Amino acid sequence: MSTVEFDSVGEWNAQVPLLIIGAGAAGLCAALAAKEAGVDAVVIERDGVPGGSTALSAGLIPAADTRFQRAKGVVDSPDRLAADIQRKAHGEAPAALLETIARGSAPLIEWLAERHSLTFELIQNFNYPGHSALRMHGLPSRTGRELVDRLRNAAELSEIVVLTGCIAQTLFAQKDGHVGGIEIVRGDGSRERIGCNAVILACNGYGGNPELIRRFIPEMANALYFGHPGNRGDAILWGERLDAAVACLGAYQGHGSVATPHNILISWAVIMQGGIQVNCEGRRFCNETHGYSEQAAEVLRQPGGFAWDVFDGRIAGVARQFEDFREAERAGAILSFDSVAGLAEAMRVPVADFVTDWNEVDMLKRAGGKDRYGRKFCPEHVCRPPYHAVKVTGALFHTQGGLAVDSSGRVKRKDGTRFPNLFAAGGAAASVSGSTAAGYLSGNGLLTATVLGKLAGTAAAQQLAS
Ligand SMILES: Cc1cc2nc3c(=O)[nH]c(=O)nc-3n(C[C@H](O)[C@H](O)[C@H](O)COP(=O)(O)OP(=O)(O)OC[C@H]3O[C@@H](n4cnc5c(N)ncnc54)[C@H](O)[C@@H]3O)c2cc1C
């Protein structure tokens, strides 16, 4: 049970300048940045092999005005990225933090590419809802596992110590919030106290803590949690005890397209390229292109709590760049038929109702029209045989609320002042996604994890050096 002990520090088993809790994207970027600024961090990670939610993700990071975009003739700017994020967040993203993160996005990608040899590519054959430019950068496998493995490799080459199999449990602080160190618990139950001069919380949010989900996000209390189970809300629990400012605790990234019962992510590319969702009655139920995050609750509201993604062979070709989609095909999750009626029968939905909705969408595509939900269609997205369908449900991916931080990741007190030596980044910090699931723009998760992780690592190191 994570807790804070005030003014009760005994002997330290070791003393280090900077402790980072969590070895996902945020923690590893923070450690690399601190090292570059001349400070050796020790990273504490509960798992035997670092992965976190980062490893479960598609590893796609949005960044504006990168050399990868310029090489492909894509015109973009940090202001444009910030405007897209703010539009999706309904104006609720903290402006200064958002601006810093948007400005830091291209330097982050280029830093990881040039200094740490991460081989990013610009995703060019589809775009996510709400992004006004092609700006998703991914590694060749399009997996977060590759991203976190490459970051871990970079940390090893930089001789950064990652203590795996250790859970940070107790945080020792003085009454003014100055953190003196932490107690870790190893797999064999042994405990050690490590003193430090600064701490960066990079242990993500509370998606893996059902009690906190019931408390802050009741609409997803019974939903499948698709993130890392070890993210149990320790940053929030410590923050509450320290009387830190928290923000947007009801916000989260959901996803309305997780193959069921296989539990495999089906890329939203299937929708953005012209696919639709229907419920068990064979009927469409909303504009699917608002965003995959809010679509999670929308799908869960359908009879039986599931839907079908329906698309064609061309769209499957686009989705196949994702290992997850290929895995879903190998698992037999994707139905294939040459006729729409045959597909409907295999889906066990009323054939006539499904064909009616399908034909209506087909006509709208050919005419470049808009449907009753406000979704706009285009002729390039007309579907042709073979037709495919996959049964999906809505899932909780990760929480977006967290500790309120400034533009260098410093944790704020409730009165707006900063804690002297406490930082947070990634899912541990409040994001730029506003207060609901609908405020999440695709990529906000890794954008804030990597950019804020780097900024927090640099700021902590500079503070220690001064
Ligand atoms: C299926 C899925 C797909 C996604 N796809 C994308 C995407 O394509 N693009 C995008 O931007 N975002 C995506 N996201 C969101 C993204 O994965 C997260 O926003 C991001 O990984 C958060 O990084 P992090 O470093 O904060 O957390 P994590 O990567 O979860 O790392 C936190 C680490 O802290 C460790 N930890 C926790 N508590 C303790 C403790 N007390 N002591 C020691 N260690 C601890 C955990 O074990 C974990 O390794 C996706 C999420 C999911 C679940």
Side-chain angles (χ1 to χ4, degrees):
M1 171 71 182
S2 57
T3 184
V4 175
E5 278 192 26
F6 290 98
D7 298 332
S8 69
V9 187
E11 293 273 293
W12 299 119
N13 297 94
Q15 178 78 34
V16 300
L18 176 61
L19 273 177
I20 297 174
I21 302 175
L28 292 172
C29 285
L32 289 168
K35 180 79 183 188
E36 207 167 294
V39 168
D40 287 316
V42 170
V43 186
I44 307 293
E45 169 55 49
R46 69 185 303 151
D47 288 350
V49 178
S53 284
T54 302
L56 304 173
S57 78
L60 304 184
I61 308 175
D65 198 21
T66 65
R67 68 171 169 79
F68 299 94
Q69 288 175 300
R70 287 194 296 275
K72 301 291 178 192
V74 174
V75 178
D76 198 7
S77 71
D79 286 348
R80 199 163 152 177
L81 169 60
D84 289 348
I85 291 174
Q86 195 62 281
R87 194 176 314 110
K88 192 76 173 74
H90 306 107
E92 291 186 303
L97 179 64
L98 175 57
E99 189 190 327
T100 309
I101 285 174
R103 291 204 183 290
S105 63
L108 178 277
I109 290 289
E110 290 172 12
W111 174 65
L112 291 179
E114 264 107 67
R115 193 167 293 246
H116 298 295
S117 309
L118 272 70
T119 50
F120 282 111
E121 298 163 2
L122 181 70
I123 309 294
Q124 289 181 86
N125 53 2
F126 78 96
N127 208 355
Y128 284 98
H131 282 287
S132 62
L134 288 173
R135 56 167 75 106
M136 286 294 177
H137 296 73
L139 296 172
S141 71
R142 310 286 191 262
T143 65
R145 180 79 257 173
E146 184 177 8
L147 175 63
V148 77
D149 285 350
R150 299 302 299 265
L151 290 173
R152 187 160 50 97
N153 189 43
E156 270 169 31
L157 291 173
S158 300
E159 298 181 344
I160 290 166
V161 176
V162 181
L163 290 181
T164 54
C166 299
I167 299 178
Q169 206 165 67
T170 305
L171 209 126
F172 296 97
Q174 292 161 14
K175 278 278 172 333
D176 69 352
H178 187 277
V179 179
I182 59 163
E183 183 171 73
I184 58 167
V185 184
R186 292 186 184 270
D188 61 5
S190 62
R191 289 166 186 271
E192 276 167 53
R193 289 181 176 194
I194 307 177
C196 63
N197 300 325
V199 172
I200 300 176
L201 302 178
C203 43
N204 207 330
Y206 38 95
N209 185 327
E211 199 184 314
L212 292 183
I213 293 299
R214 273 195 299 277
R215 192 168 138 203
F216 297 124
I217 314 179
E219 72 178 8
M220 296 306 274
N222 298 318
L224 170 72
Y225 172 53
F226 214 58
H228 182 59
N231 294 331
R232 301 193 45 80
D234 293 328
I236 281 292
L237 294 170
W238 286 319
E240 280 187 335
R241 292 273 289 136
L242 289 166
D243 221 18
V246 293
C248 298
L249 294 182
Y252 67 94
Q253 182 205 352
H255 206 292
S257 180
V258 173
T260 182
H262 310 80
N263 287 356
I264 301 172
L265 172 63
I266 304 296
S267 167
W268 207 241
V270 302
I271 300 298
M272 297 312 291
Q273 282 291 306
I276 59 169
Q277 285 196 323
V278 297
N279 60 20
C280 67
E281 290 155 359
R283 309 308 303 244
R284 288 183 62 227
F285 46 91
C286 65
N287 175 354
E288 302 91 336
T289 60
H290 277 150
Y292 55 65
S293 180
E294 55 268 55
Q295 195 71 5
E298 198 75 62
V299 167
L300 288 170
R301 274 193 289 273
Q302 299 311 303
F306 70 89
W308 291 90
D309 291 352
V310 191
F311 47 99
D312 71 352
R314 175 189 59 80
I315 297 174
V318 175
R320 238 169 242 131
Q321 71 185 293
F322 294 97
E323 170 55 28
D324 286 334
F325 189 85
R326 299 195 294 270
E327 192 190 333
E329 286 188 310
R330 287 193 296 273
I334 317 276
L335 303 177
S336 300
F337 277 81
D338 278 335
S339 79
V340 174
L343 190 68
E345 273 173 25
M347 289 155 60
R348 299 188 186 184
V349 299
V351 176
D353 290 339
F354 174 72
V355 171
T356 301
D357 274 18
W358 181 265
N359 286 344
E360 184 189 329
V361 167
D362 184 64
M363 276 183 337
L364 286 166
K365 284 179 178 172
R366 288 173 199 279
K370 209 186 244 187
D371 69 8
R372 58 191 178 281
Y373 303 112
R375 178 170 175 183
K376 210 167 164 353
F377 293 94
C378 62
E380 297 78 51
H381 287 173
V382 168
C383 286
R384 297 185 174 80
Y387 301 110
H388 301 292
V390 51
K391 189 177 180 182
V392 295
T393 189
L396 170 65
F397 273 21
H398 66 127
T399 52
Q400 285 287 284
L403 299 171
V405 296
D406 70 10
S407 303
S408 53
R410 271 170 209 284
V411 178
K412 294 183 185 176
R413 295 192 182 92
K414 285 185 178 148
D415 64 6
T417 60
R418 303 340 184 217
F419 282 85
N421 64 346
L422 183 63
F423 298 78
S431 187
V432 288
S433 305
S435 57
T436 68
Y440 183 85
L441 185 68
S442 180
N444 278 3
L446 283 173
L447 175 68
T448 50
T450 53
V451 178
L452 199 54
K454 179 172 181 257
L455 292 169
T458 304
Q462 283 169 350
Q463 174 174 320
L464 296 181
S466 66

